[in-house]
Amino acid sequence: MADVPADAIEEKFLAATGPGGQNVNKVATACQLRVDVFRLGLAPESYRRLKEIAGSRLTASGTLVITARRYRTQEANRQDARDRLADMLARAAERETRRVKTKPSRAAKARRVDAKKGRAEIKAGRGRVRLD
């Protein structure tokens, strides 16, 4: 995470929830990482992709909030939060592959029409039998 400036990150430790007995009640092990996205200097396309990836974790003021409470120690949760941030930024930096438009060949169009005509004949044969 060398590319993230230190002044853009704010760490806060909270009391975790869930199982853990007395340890949960007395030790603030969950790590809440707050990152000011505008200080990261992302390209507009990367910022747009980060907004999609982050979803509701990105506030209206441009703060990305990552809460890590998976582990029972502060240090492990801090590292987990930083790893998740690095993963998000790496995914946002990836360029999307452009879709190459394809066009069916004339033979493929003819096969499709022939198949449709065949189905139409089969269905027409299911109608009421007329005695002429």
Side-chain angles (χ1 to χ4, degrees):
M1 255 187 30
D3 56 340
V4 179
D7 63 333
I9 296 177
E10 179 186 327
E11 283 180 341
K12 189 171 160 186
F13 291 96
L14 321 161
T17 59
Q22 277 189 334
N23 196 54
V24 171
N25 299 329
K26 65 184 181 183
V27 182
T29 55
C31 179
Q32 186 180 64
L33 197 68
R34 293 176 157 274
V35 182
D36 186 359
V37 176
F38 299 121
R39 288 191 183 174
L40 299 179
L42 296 174
E45 276 298 304
S46 295
Y47 176 71
R48 183 188 61 76
R49 282 192 292 271
L50 182 63
K51 271 176 65 172
E52 284 179 17
I53 293 166
S56 62
R57 290 174 289 205
L58 188 65
T59 64
S61 62
T63 304
L64 179 62
V65 181
I66 299 172
T67 306
R69 56 170 57 111
R70 194 179 309 175
Y71 301 102
R72 292 186 60 164
T73 63
Q74 274 189 358
E75 195 51 48
N77 282 326
R78 171 190 277 147
Q79 192 58 47
D80 183 38
R82 287 175 177 260
D83 290 345
R84 284 166 45 194
L85 172 64
D87 180 52
M88 268 189 208
L89 293 176
R91 288 193 348 230
E94 289 177 6
R95 296 192 86 151
E96 297 163 349
T97 54
R98 293 193 57 129
R99 181 183 177 278
V100 178
K101 291 183 181 178
T102 57
K103 190 174 176 183
S105 65
R106 184 177 290 163
K109 287 180 184 176
R111 282 194 300 269
R112 180 178 155 272
V113 171
D114 290 343
K116 284 171 73 82
K117 284 181 183 174
R119 289 299 301 163
E121 286 179 23
I122 291 169
K123 289 186 176 192
R126 292 184 187 152
R128 190 174 284 190
V129 178
R130 291 188 352 203
L131 300 172
D132 288 334

